[in-house]
C-alpha cells in the first residue's frame, strides 16, 4: 500500500505566497487549479515508483 496526496495545506500555501510578496487575490485565483494538477502529478509519480 502506498501513500497518496489528497491536497495541500492552503494556509501554508497562502503564507508562502505572502512571504514571496504575492497578492493574495492572485494566489486565491490560481491556487485551486495548481493544487489539482500538482496533486494528480504527485500521485501519478508515486504509483510509477510503486510499480518499479
Amino acid at each position: 500500500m502506498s501513500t497518496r496526496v489528497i491536497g495541500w495545506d492552503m494556509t501554508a500555501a497562502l503564507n508562502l505566497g505572502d512571504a514571496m510578496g504575492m497578492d493574495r487575490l492572485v494566489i486565491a485565483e490560481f491556487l485551486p487549479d495548481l493544487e489539482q494538477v500538482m496533486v494528480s502529478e504527485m500521485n501519478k509519480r508515486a504509483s510509477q515508483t510503486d510499480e518499479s
Side-chain angles (χ1 to χ4, degrees), residues 2-46:
S2 63
T3 302
R4 296 289 179 237
V5 177
I6 59 171
W8 285 353
D9 179 344
M10 291 299 181
T11 302
L14 286 169
N15 288 336
L16 179 61
D18 284 342
M20 296 174 67
M22 297 177 68
D23 185 333
R24 274 196 166 221
L25 292 174
V26 173
I27 298 168
E29 180 69 30
F30 292 107
L31 192 56
D33 292 332
L34 291 171
E35 178 195 28
Q36 182 180 5
V37 171
M38 291 306 299
V39 166
S40 174
E41 287 298 315
M42 290 166 71
N43 286 330
K44 187 186 309 179
R45 288 182 186 197

